């Protein structure tokens, strides 16, 4: 969406950030400001079917880069985030409270700077209490640190393959996007969702 | 078959050393696949806050190495977060009730606690919570003891207050100790909303060291957005442990406050039972949070929940608790048989009364689950 809106420096792909080893004792929300770290944490979260939280964090971070004067862009981006992460049954619906969800859905001002504030707060807490600990003991983190060291020493990087050990899961390997499962839903009548 | 033929041809074309290597790899894959087949897959399913993760933690404590000090310590920020978030919910809830409720006066926070309340509410909305010092603990205690907060807590069923509230609020002094290390009990009470999937493998070796079964247990998030992920786990499941928090008959969902939690549980259980992949899967229904249920039932009538609207209390005290429990159990039994096609009614279905926080109960329950599953395996192998 960042690209679609022509937002420069849209996060995941750009690699111009200074590279340094990160300190796990720093608050997670601060660490997630580091693109490389965010990318690694996202890959880990995707691997244990909890990636939507990090993707949401990423996109809200992109939204925060749009100038407050640029209302049109802010509204388009906000709408995109709502459709993708907030509405019931959304493709990557996040795990937030009814209150935070209603607050967003009933707003009269989509350009508001604090539109996703409470939702983001809940999601950061969810990541902190649920995913962070397992990330620190996963191969994703080890590989991330190794990459940092190699970059500092000026080595070329290889793609991250075969390094997907996670302390959370051994035998479930969902696709990168855990939500692409329409065919499965249809085949097993799981589309008959309980959501109402 | 085609695969086997092509593999053989490949062996013939390459040199003997490579062939031996390839054969060794294949042998290993085969033996691993064989070993995998002996692992019994168990799924913990249920709506949000039904106790799945508490059962998961108990299994870790019972059949794995338990929690070492580092792991216990890793729960400190979680417990502090529970404390700060809860006191904020209660403070903000009291303010809302003081404005909107008909009987609003009793929700007005005393003048002495007002400033403390505002301060704690601000802390509760931060991304990073401070360490729980003695001073902060004292302030939280003062606010918790305020009559308006107690009145608000009495209406906790309307406010998404976690079950651990009273436990942590009554232990604030210990929690704020400079050398505080969470106890096993604290870890079990700590509330973490699970997202995604977590698994552990264990073998429930009892006193007689007889079982030898290897189980792989999966824990999942229970809120609606999490359920779409469950389907990745649905294949080859030996048993579903379905958790239903029977004490939540007067509460609404965290993710949708227009929906009663037991009504949601009913629909969810029905949906799970109808899954084609669970045709031969055993169902272990844990009617959980009995400890809260037995206290609540004497104050809040069961028929506030639409599903139990035909319930008639018969007596009081212990008898009434048993009567209400049996009523709920019967509702689930009826639902099971209504939602199971005739060819499925012979799958194993057992109901257990559980309190996931009680290690003895979980241990006993899991022993029964283990026995049932082993008997089922012997039966299927034609040995019974």
């Amino acid at each position: 969406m960042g690209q679609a809106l022509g937002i420069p420096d849209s996060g995941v792909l750009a690699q111009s950030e200074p590279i340094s080893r990160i300190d796990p004792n720093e608050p997670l929300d601060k660490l997630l400001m580091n693109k490389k770290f965010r990318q690694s944490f996202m890959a880990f979260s995707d691997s244990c079917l909890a990636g939507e939280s990090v993707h949401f964090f990423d996109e809200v971070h992109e939204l925060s880069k749009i100038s407050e004067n640029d209302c049109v862009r802010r509204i388009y981006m906000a709408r995109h985030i709502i459709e993708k992460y907030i509405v019931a049954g959304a493709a990557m619906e996040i795990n937030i409270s009814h209150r935070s969800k209603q607050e967003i859905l009933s707003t009269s001002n989509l350009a508001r700077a604090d539109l996703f504030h409470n939702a983001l707060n809940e999601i950061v807490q969810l990541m902190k209490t649920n995913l962070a600990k397992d990330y620190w003991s996963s191969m994703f983190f080890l590989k991330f640190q190794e990459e940092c060291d190699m970059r500092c020493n000026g080595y070329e990087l290889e793609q991250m393959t075969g390094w997907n050990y996670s302390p959370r899961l051994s035998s479930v390997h969902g696709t990168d996007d855990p939500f692409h499962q329409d065919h499965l839903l249809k085949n097993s009548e799981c589309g008959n969702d309980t959501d109402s | 078959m085609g695969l086997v033929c092509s593999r053989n041809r490949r062996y013939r074309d390459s040199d003997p050393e490579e062939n031996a290597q390839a054969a060794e790899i294949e042998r290993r894959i085969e033996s691993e696949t064989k070993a995998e087949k002996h692992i019994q897959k168990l799924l913990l399913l249920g709506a949000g806050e039904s106790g799945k993760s508490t059962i998961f933690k108990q299994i870790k404590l019972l059949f794995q190495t338990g929690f070492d000090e580092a792991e216990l310590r890793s729960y400190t920020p979680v417990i502090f977060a529970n404390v700060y978030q809860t006191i904020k919910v209660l403070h903000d809830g009291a303010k809302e009730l003081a404005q909107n409720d008909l009987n609003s006066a009793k929700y007005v926070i005393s003048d002495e606690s007002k400033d403390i309340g505002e301060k704690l509410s601000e802390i509760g909305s931060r991304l990073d919570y401070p360490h729980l010092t003695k001073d902060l603990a004292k302030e939280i205690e003062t606010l918790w003891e305020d009559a308006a907060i107690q009145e608000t807590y009495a209406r906790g069923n309307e406010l998404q207050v976690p079950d651990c509230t009273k436990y942590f609020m009554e232990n604030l002094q210990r929690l704020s100790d400079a050398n505080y290390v969470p106890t096993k009990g604290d870890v079990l009470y700590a509330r973490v909303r699970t997202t995604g999937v977590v698994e552990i493998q264990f073998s429930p070796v009892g006193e007689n060291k007889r079982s030898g079964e290897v189980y792989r247990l999966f824990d999942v998030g229970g809120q609606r957005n999490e359920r779409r992920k469950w389907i990745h786990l649905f294949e080859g499941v030996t048993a579903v442990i379905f958790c239903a928090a029977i004490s939540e008959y007067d509460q609404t969902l965290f993710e949708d406050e227009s929906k009663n939690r037991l009504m949601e549980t009913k629909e969810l259980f029905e949906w799970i039972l109808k899954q084609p992949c669970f045709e031969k899967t055993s169902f272990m229904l844990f009617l959980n949070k009995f400890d809260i249920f037995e206290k609540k039932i004497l104050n809040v009538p069961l028929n506030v929940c639409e599903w139990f609207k035909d319930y008639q209390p018969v007596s009081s005290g212990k008898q009434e608790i048993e009567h209400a429990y049996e009523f709920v159990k019967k509702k689930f039994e009826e639902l099971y048989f209504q939602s199971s096609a005739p060819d499925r009614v012979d799958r194993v279905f057992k109901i257990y009364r559980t309190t996931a926080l009680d290690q003895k109960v979980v241990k006993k329950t899991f022993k029964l689950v283990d026995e049932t599953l082993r008997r089922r395996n012997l039966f299927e192998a034609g040995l019974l």
Side-chain angles (χ1 to χ4, degrees), chain A residues 51-93:
Chain A
E52 72 277 14
S53 296
V54 196
H55 289 268
F56 172 72
F57 184 97
D58 190 57
E59 298 222 44
V60 174
H61 182 58
E62 293 303 323
L63 173 66
S64 71
K65 292 179 188 168
I66 306 175
S67 152
E68 288 201 25
N69 301 323
D70 198 346
C71 282
V72 177
R73 267 196 197 181
R74 288 192 71 88
I75 289 170
Y76 268 104
M77 186 72 179
R79 273 205 190 135
H80 158 76
I81 292 173
I82 289 170
E83 274 163 29
K84 192 170 170 188
Y85 301 99
I86 308 295
V87 295
M92 293 185 90
E93 188 182 352

Side-chain angles (χ1 to χ4, degrees), chain A residues 112-132:
Chain A
R112 237 173 68 195
D114 63 349
L115 180 62
F116 297 109
H117 179 268
N118 288 337
L120 194 67
N121 212 324
E122 285 184 19
I123 286 301
V124 169
Q125 293 302 339
L126 187 68
M127 291 192 287
K128 272 187 183 176
T129 54
N130 210 289
L131 300 168

Side-chain angles (χ1 to χ4, degrees), chain B residues 54 57 75 78-79 82 164 168 185-192 357:
Chain B
T54 311
K57 283 189 260 186
Y75 274 90
V78 174
I79 293 165
N82 284 172
C164 60
F168 286 139
D186 295 346
V187 170
L188 288 171
Y189 267 101
R191 166 74 186 141
V192 176
L357 288 167

